[in-house]
Amino acid sequence: WSAAVMRKVRRALDDLLAEMRSLPNRIRQYDAYNNLHDQVKGYISGHSLLSELKTEALKERHWKLILQRLGIKITFTELTIGVLWDHGVLNRKKEIGEILTVAQGEMALEVFLGQVRDRWMKQELELVLFQNRVRLIRG
């Protein structure tokens, strides 16, 4: 999965569909052709979901949840696009979308907290003695 390039996958699916359309009419009448054609079109329509799954926002904890929901019992390093397709990732767009939304929200928070931490690490505060009892921040 980590080595998959989604543009190449999309191009390969488009090429396959174009080749299928160029077949003679007598072949295009078979049920097998229609089933394969529908399956390829389904993969193309679900391509955007797979592209979204390539985001850096998805951490290991999110992938564990996705794999659990899909019923996949292999490790993330062994994961392929075919395994995702075989386990119905395209039929669970809503569930996967919810996990993606949570992951993107968590990433936004991580970025914001990093910016706050950086700001306060650079900030210098000058303390002054007030009425010889309490130290206050100047300014």
Side-chain angles (χ1 to χ4, degrees):
W1 171 254
S2 59
V5 179
M6 298 315 296
R7 272 185 267 129
K8 288 183 180 180
V9 172
R10 176 61 188 248
R11 191 175 323 119
L13 288 170
D14 288 338
D15 291 347
L16 179 60
L17 199 58
E19 285 180 43
M20 291 178 68
R21 287 182 180 144
S22 69
L23 291 173
N25 283 337
R26 60 185 164 78
I27 292 176
R28 292 169 53 180
Q29 294 175 357
Y30 290 114
D31 286 339
Y33 172 89
N34 292 327
N35 289 339
L36 181 60
H37 186 268
D38 293 344
Q39 191 172 17
V40 171
K41 286 194 72 90
Y43 291 156
I44 289 173
S45 70
H47 182 265
S48 61
L49 176 65
L50 291 177
S51 294
E52 290 176 15
L53 288 175
K54 292 295 283 184
T55 181
E56 294 178 14
L58 286 174
K59 305 288 186 215
E60 184 177 347
R61 64 184 178 272
H62 303 114
W63 274 109
K64 284 182 181 178
L65 188 57
I66 289 171
L67 296 179
Q68 177 187 2
R69 295 252 175 104
L70 293 175
I72 298 174
K73 306 228 183 292
I74 60 173
T75 62
F76 178 71
T77 55
E78 299 169 341
L79 186 65
T80 64
I81 294 173
V83 170
L84 290 172
W85 280 340
D86 290 344
H87 284 84
V89 71
L90 303 179
N91 298 329
R92 300 197 174 170
K93 288 182 181 181
K94 184 176 179 184
E95 290 179 63
I96 304 299
E98 290 171 359
I99 296 170
L100 275 166
T101 301
V102 168
Q104 290 166 344
E106 289 175 1
M107 184 170 204
L109 282 173
E110 289 174 9
V111 168
F112 176 72
L113 289 174
Q115 291 171 345
V116 169
R117 183 179 5 121
D118 290 345
R119 166 118 168 101
W120 282 104
M121 292 298 283
K122 295 175 185 174
Q123 190 70 33
E124 290 186 24
L125 302 175
E126 183 180 341
L127 300 176
V128 295
L129 196 57
F130 178 72
Q131 296 180 353
N132 289 331
R133 292 190 299 201
V134 181
R135 291 188 179 266
L136 296 177
I137 300 172
R138 179 176 291 202

